[in-house]
DNA sequence: TCTAATTTTTAGACAAGTCTAAAAATATTT
DNA sequence: AAATATTTTTAGACTTGTCTAAAAATTAGA
């Protein structure tokens, strides 16, 4: 069907597309994929031939309907595999990304269908990211950045903005995990740091941390 | 580490090596891998450079110690994944090979270790083939071809010689499965067909079938 | 608006893995 | 032991995906 390289480009465009509303730029893709702009241009031309993207020279690129379906299916596989690794094989959430990057390219519709059933059709992966369904639809929950909560407001921790190993390990060390209730006790105007209550502990977190955590209001 | 192509060649040589005692020929590898002899030669030269095989022009090829370790590790992964698909995801034994061909190339030592634990360290895959341990050692059981049993002898069905979908589906249809006790009731000298008793049913199987089933004597 | 900086594309090269066709080595027959 | 047949290797080409360096287009600045 499609090569791993093609799927990776499609996935990168999909991820960048949601953030910027207009066409995704060559350089942005190059940066995301740790590659050179000229390589990106080459691939965009191939993907355009195959009608997976809409591409006009110098004008950036957008996924076609077909491209979007493929992207969603790859993301679905990535997140289901991450869920498998954490829920069934005792991996921690900071170890699974690179392995899922490989597993997401395995070709077998039945495999992914059965995996989803085995995992009891999860809607979110270990990082709180939504898992597209078979039709590519995302379950939408209204999550907001923790930093936007007012003092005395609280929410359930449901996701991370940054899912790098470094950040995830930091959260582990601080005892912060998905599903926990977080209440903002105080906000420090000087550096925008927050004092929060979590699992009956009080804890101060920097503005940067508060911008990388998602909470859901009840 | 090693590319999928390299791993596939190594695995093919490993499989052919056990059958023929001397060096494996270029043509044999080409046939097994559904490729051309010239492609095989190219690859053998690369593998030789990397010290994974011992290769002398026109003299056939053998795995080095390093090559054997890699082969065993790929076979281990292949068979563990097949076991996973059958035992956990409800695949039948005739559906798993092609998917395992892909999964066997996923790079992560922890993944395969945890998978083995999750599956409770199986020693044989769904086709009765032995799963190499972490050190590449094979559990040896003494299995013999069903056709070699004498009349009134019996054994437990423990493996297949041919593991093509066609044959496996045929066995399903006949109600023959691993673990069942098979007793030879009669042998027909005319066409070497066998009448066997299996699970209280009597059944006639051709010489060809009898040569593709392994049994273990008690 | 015209020039300068930045972004994007093209041109040409390279590595991996494959193929066909031809040459070389080995094996088999007579 | 030659002649013939078979196997194996080489030579040259092609595809995919990548890169560097240079050219072209776009954007930003004075
Ligand atoms: Mn991930
Ligand atoms: Mn994730
Ligand atoms: Mn198999
Ligand atoms: Mn098998």
């Amino acid at each position: 069907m499609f090569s791993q390289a093609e799927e990776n480009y499609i996935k990168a465009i999909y991820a960048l597309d949601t953030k910027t509303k207009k066409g995704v730029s060559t350089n942005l893709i190059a940066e995301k994929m740790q590659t050179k702009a000229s390589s990106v241009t080459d691939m965009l031309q191939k993907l355009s031939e195959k009608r997976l993207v809409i591409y006009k020279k110098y004008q950036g690129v957008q996924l076609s309907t077909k491209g979007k379906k493929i992207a969603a299916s790859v993301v679905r596989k990535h997140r289901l595999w991450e869920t498998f690794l954490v829920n069934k094989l005792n991996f921690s959430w900071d170890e699974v990304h690179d392995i899922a990057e490989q597993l997401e390219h395995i070709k077998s519709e039945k495999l992914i269908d059965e995996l989803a059933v085995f995992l009891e059709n999860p809607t979110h992966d270990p990082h709180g990211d939504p898992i597209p369904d078979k039709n590519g639809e995302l379950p939408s929950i209204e999550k907001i950045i923790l930093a936007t909560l007012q003092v005395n407001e609280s929410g359930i921790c449901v996701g991370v903005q940054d899912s790098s190993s470094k950040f995830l390990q930091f959260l582990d060390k601080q005892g912060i995990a998905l599903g926990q209730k977080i209440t903002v006790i105080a906000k420090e105007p000087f550096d925008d740091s927050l004092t929060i209550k979590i699992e009956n502990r009080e804890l101060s977190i920097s503005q940067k941390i508060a911008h990388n955590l998602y909470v859901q209001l009840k």
Side-chain angles (χ1 to χ4, degrees), chain A:
Chain A
M1 220 58 186
F2 301 103
S3 70
Q4 297 201 183
E6 287 171 332
E7 289 185 346
N8 284 333
Y9 275 95
I10 291 285
K11 189 161 65 104
I13 298 166
Y14 179 80
L16 296 169
D17 206 327
T18 56
K19 302 191 176 174
T20 69
K21 277 296 168 199
K22 47 192 62 169
V24 180
S25 79
T26 302
N27 265 358
L28 207 57
I29 298 169
E31 192 192 5
K32 173 110 184 167
M33 301 203 55
Q34 304 272 62
T35 184
K36 301 294 168 180
S38 57
S39 306
V40 175
T41 300
D42 285 348
M43 182 56 90
L44 293 184
Q45 288 166 349
K46 281 178 212 159
L47 295 177
S48 183
E49 290 264 313
K50 297 193 177 186
R51 309 284 149 183
L52 299 176
V53 300
I54 292 113
Y55 169 67
K56 282 233 220 56
K57 268 191 189 180
Y58 294 102
Q59 300 313 131
V61 75
Q62 281 188 300
L63 291 179
S64 69
T65 307
K66 200 171 156 198
K68 274 183 206 135
K69 278 198 83 159
I70 293 161
S73 128
V74 176
V75 169
R76 173 172 165 79
K77 288 190 269 184
H78 183 104
R79 293 180 180 164
L80 282 171
W81 280 117
E82 284 188 343
T83 305
F84 169 72
L85 294 173
V86 169
N87 292 5
K88 303 292 184 179
L89 299 195
N90 297 309
F91 278 78
S92 61
W93 66 346
D94 61 295
E95 298 174 309
V96 296
H97 185 77
D98 291 347
I99 303 176
E101 282 294 317
Q102 300 177 62
L103 286 163
E104 72 190 4
H105 302 294
I106 301 294
K107 261 89 181 164
S108 166
E109 195 171 336
K110 177 162 185 182
L111 171 58
I112 208 67
D113 289 347
E114 292 291 343
L115 183 64
V117 169
F118 184 58
L119 299 171
E120 296 171 275
N121 296 300
T123 57
H124 293 80
D125 82 359
H127 311 107
D129 292 315
I131 299 175
D133 66 18
K134 277 203 74 169
N135 305 312
E137 304 294 334
L138 289 170
S140 68
I141 58 169
E142 341 71 54
K143 60 187 180 188
I144 59 175
I145 298 286
L146 171 59
T148 64
L149 285 194
Q150 303 301 311
V151 171
N152 284 325
E153 283 191 314
S154 60
I156 304 294
C157 182
V158 293
V160 293
Q161 167 68 39
D162 168 9
S163 62
S164 68
S165 289
K166 282 243 167 63
F167 182 56
L168 298 176
Q169 282 168 16
F170 169 83
L171 295 178
D172 285 345
K173 205 162 57 188
Q174 298 293 314
I176 301 173
L178 300 194
Q180 293 177 334
K181 181 179 171 187
I182 299 179
T183 306
V184 177
I185 303 290
K187 281 180 136 173
E188 178 57 59
F190 177 65
D191 64 354
D192 289 319
S193 68
L194 265 65
T195 304
I196 61 176
K197 198 178 88 180
I198 186 164
E199 300 280 299
N200 288 322
R201 286 171 300 116
E202 242 179 59
L203 156 73
S204 171
I205 61 176
S206 74
Q207 180 253 355
K208 183 167 180 188
I209 305 301
H211 270 95
N212 279 301
L213 281 173
Y214 285 114
V215 294
Q216 182 176 24
L217 300 175
K218 271 171 300 192

